[in-house]
């Protein structure tokens, strides 16, 4: 009985996390810029929603999937770092479904004050 409960718990935890490559073209990068509509700073991933033009000049709300809040906090980012109406530029991997208007966020910049986040390079030995 205990083994079954543990197995169910592990399978639920594993299904909650996904491979980014399953949802995004990780080898491609797009750049979008616009005002923030909303920031959802919660596990498992933080989401930044921005209003931006698509390649045809039509406005859409893009959802940028970012890192886990714990990792971002280690980089000095809190729920108050970005606010609604901040204009940001985002670089990320585009969604495999272009109608989703989603990106896997790789870098974000706030031009107004020069603030920027990009992942730290891993040290190789």
């Amino acid at each position: 009985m205990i083994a079954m409960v543990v197995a169910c718990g592990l399978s639920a935890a594993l299904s909650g996390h996904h491979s980014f490559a399953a949802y995004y073209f990780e080898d491609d990068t797009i750049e979008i810029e616009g005002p923030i509509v909303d920031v959802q700073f919660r596990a498992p991933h933080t989401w930044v929603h921005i209003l931006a033009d698509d390649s045809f000049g039509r406005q859409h709300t893009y959802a940028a999937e970012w890192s886990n809040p714990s990792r971002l906090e280690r980089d000095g980012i809190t729920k108050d770092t970005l606010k609604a109406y901040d204009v940001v530029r985002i670089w990320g991997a585009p969604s495999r479904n272009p109608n989703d208007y989603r990106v896997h966020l790789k870098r974000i910049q706030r031009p107004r004050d020069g603030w920027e986040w990009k992942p730290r390079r891993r040290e190789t030995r």
Side-chain angles (χ1 to χ4, degrees):
M1 178 85 132
I2 292 172
M4 188 161 58
V5 170
V6 169
C8 288
L10 285 175
S11 67
L14 290 175
S15 69
H17 193 85
H18 60 267
S19 165
F20 285 116
Y23 295 95
Y24 303 100
F25 290 112
E26 290 294 320
D27 292 334
D28 294 342
T29 301
I30 61 171
E31 179 181 336
I32 55 177
E33 182 173 356
I36 292 176
V37 176
D38 186 33
V39 177
Q40 298 169 343
F41 196 79
R42 62 178 183 234
H45 298 123
T46 296
W47 288 86
V48 179
H49 301 269
I50 71 169
L51 188 62
D53 292 341
D54 66 13
S55 58
F56 300 104
R58 297 177 299 218
Q59 281 198 331
H60 297 279
T61 300
Y62 284 80
E65 188 171 6
W66 202 357
S67 289
N68 183 286
S70 297
R71 178 177 174 207
L72 294 175
E73 286 174 344
R74 286 192 297 270
D75 289 343
I77 297 167
T78 70
K79 64 179 179 61
D80 297 319
T81 300
L82 297 171
K83 302 215 180 289
Y85 307 109
D86 282 349
V87 174
V88 294
R89 185 175 298 133
I90 290 176
W91 291 264
S95 173
R96 290 188 175 276
N97 179 350
N99 296 322
D100 283 347
Y101 300 101
R102 287 176 28 179
V103 299
H104 177 206
L105 191 149
K106 305 291 186 174
R107 179 177 165 202
I108 184 169
Q109 182 180 81
R110 187 173 48 216
R112 171 180 50 85
D113 61 3
W115 176 87
E116 179 176 35
W117 175 91
K118 56 186 168 183
R120 297 181 202 181
R121 292 201 178 266
R122 293 183 184 177
E123 292 183 27
T124 57
R125 295 181 186 199

